[in-house]
Amino acid sequence: MDTVRNAQQAVEVVADQSILAALQKTFAVGGCIVENATGKVLKAMHNNVLMPYPESTAQPPFLPHDPTAHGERQLVQWYYDNRQVLNLPPPSALTVVTTLDPCAMCAGSLLTAGFNVAVSAIDTYAGVNYNSQFDFPTLPPDVRQKAQQTWGYYAVDTPIDRSYQGSTGPIFAKETIDARVFSLTGSIFDASVNTVRDASNNSGLPPDELKNPASLPANSAVRKALTELSPWALTVKFDDPRMPGAALAKPLTETAHHADTMNAVALLDPFGNLLACLGGQEKQSPIRTAFMETTRRYALMRWQLMNSNDPLVRAEAQQYLTHPKYGTFVFLYIPDPRTSEAVMTFGAYGSTMEGPVPQSFPSNLQYVLLHPGVTPQAVAQLAQKLPPFYTQSVQVAPSQVLDDALIQAAKSAL
């Protein structure tokens, strides 16, 4: 269907996408971008967190593809990849219609970009409207106001009898969808969510079974892939991955100086090795931040190697590449907790973990510096206000690095 004429048709488009996602054995969520003025469907997509690798002979296939590949986040990225060549309208003239209340990552992405949003089902665990009150307690005040001005939740007819909730910004605002398609959009996600989370959260060997990638020869597939991912890979090592020292300042600050914005994010493995240090590409898209680039590109590299047609490469990847939950992410700057970028980032971290994280002190989500006017308390408070999935399951807990020499070295290099 190229054009939709009402909310029912729009939700049916995204419900069909959620079915495709379920058949792919990933989170059963679908979405589309609709032009408000015409009802034209510009793009429809579904979740691709778990996805088979094309033409791979690996058995069983390694499905964890990209923890950020939620339907809505992908749609935002599709828009920025195509807005000029397709002469697309501004996000304020478009609506992202989705089967499920967006998670923190997707909500932050949509609000950063400025789309209108229309929703079918509520996600009471990870959705930003998890309490169904349209007060968005997760969001910082200015971001909350923006959501209340641009989001809407379609009414549902009998026997659900849900009233429309939201603004007049989304296409088909205040319209009603039938109980059948509403129930499908909720139940199909509920049927998939726990299985997919388990598959994603447990995709890798525990640290005591891993081998140290620093011991790999220069011509090994894993070492070459890490070096291609980041020139800083395996150049720095710390005795404790939770206690990065001053040697991390140079990778972070030099990467940040070459990034689109002054920031970088490093990923350390359980051995304390620096696996990657990447900056953002916000000039291409405001959601391609340093953290989004780091977590996404590491995951894509791992997915590719784990599905290599060479069984020796697959075995090497399995033995040497950690799941990020066993590593440590270190930001040069933690995002400003007053912004939608911070919501997106903490949400993307939660999606990267996709379940419980081995608890330790310090946290495996760390930062070196704060933006001017930002306090550690404000950062912690944003994390504590996230939907239940992030506070109860993942337990998002950003903390500043403990090594003062690292903090001072970073400040000196900026």
Side-chain angles (χ1 to χ4, degrees):
M1 183 181 294
D2 295 327
T3 302
V4 290
R5 294 179 173 80
N6 51 52
Q8 178 72 22
Q9 291 181 353
V11 174
E12 285 176 348
V13 168
V14 296
D16 287 345
Q17 289 293 316
S18 72
I19 293 171
L20 295 175
L23 292 172
Q24 188 175 292
K25 301 187 184 306
T26 187
F27 293 108
V29 180
C32 70
I33 299 177
V34 184
E35 188 174 32
N36 284 13
T38 63
K40 181 180 179 182
V41 178
L42 302 180
K43 184 68 175 178
M45 301 182 78
H46 61 69
N47 186 288
N48 281 300
V49 167
L50 301 189
M51 189 168 80
Y53 189 83
E55 301 178 8
S56 172
T57 59
Q59 292 299 325
F62 183 81
L63 297 179
H65 157 246
D66 175 359
T68 76
H70 293 200
E72 303 96 320
R73 200 282 303 161
Q74 293 177 110
L75 285 167
V76 174
Q77 190 55 55
W78 176 89
Y79 172 83
Y80 283 102
D81 289 343
N82 292 278
R83 62 174 175 168
Q84 291 185 332
V85 66
L86 297 180
N87 193 28
L88 297 173
S92 59
L94 303 171
T95 298
V96 170
V97 181
T98 180
T99 56
L100 191 72
D101 187 35
C103 68
M105 174 182 66
C106 291
S109 299
L110 291 162
L111 288 160
T112 297
F115 286 94
N116 298 289
V117 178
V119 180
S120 176
I122 298 295
D123 180 355
T124 59
Y125 197 42
V128 290
N129 189 28
Y130 66 91
N131 64 359
S132 300
Q133 297 301 305
F134 202 68
D135 58 358
F136 300 115
T138 286
L139 302 178
D142 289 348
V143 182
R144 180 183 309 141
Q145 184 178 30
K146 186 175 180 181
Q148 290 172 329
Q149 292 169 348
T150 55
W151 288 40
Y153 294 76
Y154 288 132
V156 185
D157 70 7
T158 187
I160 304 297
D161 293 325
R162 183 179 82 182
S163 299
Y164 181 80
Q165 193 176 46
S167 73
T168 57
I171 194 170
F172 312 128
K174 300 188 178 181
E175 288 194 9
T176 300
I177 60 176
D178 67 32
R180 173 192 58 83
V181 72
F182 165 80
S183 298
L184 169 62
T185 57
S187 61
I188 195 170
F189 172 76
D190 292 341
S192 70
V193 61
N194 290 330
T195 300
V196 178
R197 280 192 175 135
D198 287 345
S200 182
N201 182 252
N202 295 308
S203 63
L205 296 175
D208 60 357
E209 296 179 28
L210 278 172
K211 295 181 180 180
N212 189 341
S215 66
L216 287 167
N219 64 347
S220 75
V222 165
R223 192 169 194 124
K224 287 167 66 176
L226 285 168
T227 303
E228 290 173 4
L229 175 65
S230 170
W232 296 102
L234 303 178
T235 63
V236 176
K237 183 182 184 303
F238 303 100
D239 292 336
D240 184 342
R242 297 289 196 262
M243 294 286 291
L248 192 57
K250 185 174 181 179
L252 284 171
T253 56
E254 290 198 8
T255 300
H257 278 299
H258 292 93
D260 286 352
T261 63
M262 184 58 70
N263 205 3
V265 173
L267 172 60
L268 308 178
D269 73 4
F271 300 97
N273 296 308
L274 175 58
L275 294 184
C277 186
L278 299 174
Q281 298 188 38
E282 291 92 346
K283 290 180 181 177
Q284 296 184 35
S285 163
I287 69 167
R288 291 189 64 178
T289 61
F291 180 78
M292 297 293 273
E293 290 295 291
T294 302
T295 188
R296 181 170 185 258
R297 289 175 60 187
Y298 176 76
L300 291 170
M301 178 204 70
R302 189 166 170 248
W303 176 67
Q304 182 175 9
L305 292 174
M306 292 280 204
N307 286 293
S308 170
N309 285 333
D310 184 339
L312 295 178
V313 172
R314 295 201 300 270
E316 186 177 278
Q318 176 73 14
Q319 293 165 0
Y320 289 91
L321 290 177
T322 186
H323 187 293
K325 73 178 180 180
Y326 299 122
T328 308
F329 285 104
V330 185
F331 290 68
L332 178 57
Y333 285 100
I334 199 71
D336 186 330
R338 297 166 291 192
T339 65
S340 55
E341 179 196 336
V343 177
M344 175 182 70
T345 300
F346 289 175
Y349 168 80
S351 294
T352 297
M353 302 300 116
E354 206 54 80
V357 177
Q359 293 302 299
S360 67
F361 180 81
S363 164
N364 72 331
L365 174 57
Q366 300 187 29
Y367 57 89
V368 180
L369 301 173
L370 293 159
H371 287 289
V374 174
T375 64
Q377 293 77 15
V379 173
Q381 286 171 2
L382 176 62
Q384 292 161 6
K385 290 180 179 179
L386 292 169
F389 167 70
Y390 306 93
T391 57
Q392 297 174 13
S393 179
V394 178
Q395 299 184 40
V396 179
S399 62
Q400 191 164 29
V401 296
L402 294 181
D403 192 317
D404 188 63
L406 171 53
I407 297 172
Q408 297 307 318
K411 286 181 178 178
S412 298
L414 294 173

